[in-house]
Amino acid sequence: MDSTAQQQATMIGGDNLELSFKDLSLDAGTVGEDNSKILKWNLPLKELYKLACSFYKEKSGKAIHLSYEDNLKLVAFTQQAAHGPLDLSKAPPLGMFDVIGKDRRIAWQQLGTITKLQAMEGFIDLLDRLCPLFKPYVEAIKKDREEKARRAEQEEIQRTEALAAERERQEELARLESEKNREELHRRQLQDALNQQTYHQFKEYAEIQFPGNPEQQAVLIRQLQNEHYHQYMQQLQAQVATNLARLKSLSDGEEDDTPTAVVCENGAAGAIEPAAANEFANANNAKENSQFEFKEQCDSDNDSGDYAVISPANMWTKPDIKLFKQEVMAGKGDGVIRVNHGDTVTVKVPTHEGGSCLFWEFATDSYDIGFGVYFEWGKPPTTEVSVHISESDEDDDTIEEDDEVICAEDLECGQVQSSQMSSAGSALGSRNPISIIIPIYRRECHQEVYAGSHTYPGEGTYLLKFDNSYSLWRPKTLYYKVFYTR
């Protein structure tokens, strides 16, 4: 039995085993300390060896059928790769009838002193020669891993891009929030500045409307201040848009010698030549930071002098129309006037020596009426308020169609026309020059009380015009109040 086993071991460990060593691409001299860098089939050798062992265990006897001698060689390579060269002094004794164990030990001993890495590569090469399905199996695993790595890389790129996009979105939101906060701060600063300037006027008006009621006075003051701020911003936007359109037309090469009507930094109406458009555009941009005070006089290209400086009026409405009419009819206001169809009523209110601002309120029964405010420059002959009724708007006490007037730019007047910016000195005859503060427009004053105020531009007479000339049949009952504040 022993001689037969030795002969079989000699057969197994003969030339075929030596040929397998010649196919090894590694030897002990080329193996360094860093074994993880050793590649075979573009895979780390140890990883490829594990795949080979797994393939051998799963497929042996199923997809692959090896001879006894080939199995001995593969087992010998695994023993050498796991434990190194065979040391008989440390090997456990074999039983007398353990033929397979003796054959395996002989095959292991035939491997000599090759290293563990060489034994791994020998196992891989031998399995590759014995089983053609092994290499495609490895290639399929490699492709699967590469695909997973590619997907992971792509997902990482997408995740990075998503994080970058989210970061940009957050930065944009933060920037928009910062701009919104700056705009809100600027709006509050501007509104506070406007409120400080109009507080005393609105307070006097509120005290007249609600005497002895501080809460109602505060509500009315707040309402008036909000209306004043919105009117100011709308007027400012209209001015900027007009000036931008004007500058665009000039930049396109259009020549126009007609003076352009603008509102200067102090809010006064004036006229400039096209060559000075840029200078006034810069002034308009600075208007938002102004205190809305009329401290300086705006230069004009005509000889209008002091008459060119006039501020826009403030207009608002009140809902308590019944109470207002009752107060006027009870004698607590200026009076009630019947305005016949086709007539125009002009209420002349001279500026008061101790006053600084004029207030007015009016309402009608059932139907609307036209309303506008003019200002006649010059010292008034009387301090009494007078009412003049005419069948048309063309008599001596009103503005004729051919008269040239000075128009302040306000929300209802729209853009100042150059024909309205003529010199006060060019008024016809000896009549005092007249400025249009609010053009005549129809007001729904039968639904709510219309009120307004205007800061004295100088010494003169206000002309409050109630126009019913457009009505062919209906007379209007007018309720009105006028008063001044210091």
Side-chain angles (χ1 to χ4, degrees):
M1 183 63 122
D2 292 342
S3 61
T4 304
Q6 288 179 358
Q7 290 177 0
Q8 188 176 8
T10 303
M11 258 172 67
I12 295 173
D15 295 338
N16 292 335
L17 192 56
E18 292 178 358
L19 288 174
S20 67
F21 293 145
K22 293 178 182 179
D23 295 331
L24 297 178
S25 60
L26 297 174
D27 54 34
T30 60
V31 178
E33 295 180 358
D34 190 2
N35 297 329
S36 61
K37 294 182 180 180
I38 300 175
L39 299 178
K40 186 176 181 63
W41 298 354
N42 293 325
L43 288 174
L45 180 60
K46 290 185 176 181
E47 184 178 352
L48 182 58
Y49 174 71
K50 290 181 180 179
L51 289 176
C53 292
S54 177
F55 178 81
Y56 175 71
K57 291 178 181 179
E58 291 178 4
K59 307 299 181 181
S60 181
K62 299 176 183 178
I64 57 175
H65 300 276
L66 304 177
S67 64
Y68 178 75
E69 292 79 4
D70 293 333
N71 282 323
L72 283 178
K73 292 178 183 179
L74 292 173
V75 171
F77 279 124
T78 59
Q79 294 294 325
Q80 187 85 357
H83 306 287
L86 176 62
D87 187 358
L88 294 176
S89 60
K90 297 180 180 180
L94 296 174
M96 180 179 298
F97 300 103
D98 189 3
V99 179
I100 296 177
K102 291 179 180 179
D103 291 343
R104 290 181 176 179
R105 183 166 294 183
I106 292 171
W108 181 7
Q109 189 175 10
Q110 291 293 329
L111 295 179
T113 59
I114 63 173
T115 64
K116 293 181 179 181
L117 295 177
Q118 289 175 325
M120 292 178 186
E121 190 171 11
F123 181 87
I124 295 169
D125 289 340
L126 182 56
L127 184 62
D128 182 38
R129 287 197 301 270
L130 297 176
C131 183
L133 298 177
F134 173 62
K135 194 164 189 178
Y137 168 79
V138 175
E139 293 295 333
I141 292 178
K142 283 171 56 179
K143 289 182 180 180
D144 183 64
R145 291 184 178 180
E146 290 173 356
E147 180 65 20
K148 289 182 179 179
R150 187 188 65 80
R151 290 180 181 177
E153 183 179 0
Q154 186 175 3
E155 291 176 357
E156 182 64 24
I157 292 174
Q158 293 176 351
R159 187 162 46 251
T160 303
E161 292 177 351
L163 290 175
E166 178 65 18
R167 185 166 55 252
E168 291 179 359
R169 190 181 70 84
Q170 293 295 336
E171 292 176 355
E172 180 67 15
L173 290 176
R175 184 185 66 81
L176 293 177
E177 185 68 20
S178 177
E179 289 182 358
K180 182 179 179 181
N181 292 337
R182 286 198 300 269
E183 292 177 358
E184 179 65 18
L185 178 61
H186 177 70
R187 185 193 68 78
R188 290 181 180 179
Q189 291 175 346
L190 180 59
Q191 190 169 15
D192 289 344
L194 295 174
N195 292 345
Q196 289 177 4
Q197 295 164 13
T198 58
Y199 175 75
H200 295 290
Q201 296 178 3
F202 291 158
K203 186 174 186 298
E204 293 179 2
Y205 174 76
E207 290 174 348
I208 295 174
Q209 296 298 313
F210 302 101
N213 192 338
E215 294 183 357
Q216 289 293 335
Q217 293 176 12
V219 172
L220 180 58
I221 291 173
R222 187 159 54 251
Q223 178 185 359
L224 295 177
Q225 288 176 337
N226 290 335
E227 287 288 336
H228 180 258
Y229 170 76
H230 291 307
Q231 290 179 359
Y232 172 77
M233 294 305 297
Q234 292 175 1
Q235 178 183 353
L236 181 63
Q237 293 173 359
Q239 294 165 3
V240 172
T242 302
N243 290 330
L244 288 177
R246 177 65 180 168
L247 291 175
K248 185 177 184 301
S249 64
L250 292 176
S251 64
D252 292 339
E254 298 180 1
E255 295 183 358
D256 188 0
D257 296 335
T258 304
T260 303
V262 298
V263 174
C264 301
E265 186 176 359
N266 55 19
I272 59 172
E273 294 294 338
N278 290 332
E279 178 181 353
F280 278 90
N282 294 332
N284 282 326
N285 292 334
K287 182 176 179 180
E288 291 185 5
N289 298 323
S290 68
Q291 299 299 313
F292 202 67
E293 294 178 340
F294 307 100
K295 296 180 180 179
E296 299 177 356
Q297 202 167 4
C298 183
D299 294 334
S300 173
D301 288 339
N302 51 36
D303 298 329
S304 59
D306 293 341
Y307 301 129
V309 180
I310 194 165
S311 64
N314 297 316
M315 290 283 290
W316 62 90
T317 59
K318 296 168 52 179
D320 50 348
I321 187 170
K322 291 184 179 180
L323 179 61
F324 172 76
K325 292 179 181 179
Q326 292 173 0
E327 291 178 353
V328 174
M329 289 188 295
K332 298 182 180 179
D334 290 274
V336 183
I337 302 176
R338 178 182 175 85
V339 186
N340 291 322
H341 61 86
D343 288 352
T344 298
V345 172
T346 302
V347 179
K348 294 186 176 182
V349 186
T351 56
H352 196 278
E353 184 176 350
S356 62
C357 183
L358 176 70
F359 283 83
W360 61 84
E361 296 176 340
F362 66 92
T364 58
D365 287 336
S366 303
Y367 305 105
D368 62 358
I369 197 169
F371 174 75
V373 180
Y374 297 76
F375 187 81
E376 183 177 1
W377 298 85
K379 186 173 183 179
T382 178
T383 59
E384 298 296 328
V385 177
S386 61
V387 178
H388 177 79
I389 302 177
S390 63
E391 295 183 356
S392 66
D393 196 27
E394 298 178 354
D395 58 3
D396 293 337
D397 291 327
T398 58
I399 299 175
E400 297 182 1
E401 182 178 357
D402 296 332
D403 286 348
E404 297 181 355
V405 296
I406 304 164
C407 178
E409 185 176 356
D410 71 335
L411 291 177
E412 297 180 336
C413 180
Q415 180 63 31
V416 182
Q417 301 296 325
S418 59
S419 62
Q420 294 175 323
M421 299 304 299
S422 303
S423 167
S426 64
L428 298 178
S430 60
R431 173 191 290 173
N432 292 331
I434 297 177
S435 297
I436 301 177
I437 298 174
I438 300 176
I440 297 177
Y441 288 129
R442 294 172 66 171
R443 319 285 174 166
E444 301 292 335
C445 50
H446 60 294
Q447 297 178 353
E448 53 188 351
V449 180
Y450 272 71
S453 67
H454 187 256
T455 304
Y456 286 180
E459 197 173 28
T461 302
Y462 282 96
L463 308 177
L464 278 63
K465 305 183 72 61
F466 298 93
D467 183 14
N468 196 31
S469 61
Y470 58 87
S471 178
L472 298 178
W473 309 105
R474 295 190 181 99
K476 311 290 173 64
T477 301
L478 172 68
Y479 306 81
Y480 76 95
K481 285 183 182 181
V482 288
F483 52 92
Y484 70 90
T485 59
R486 298 182 182 277

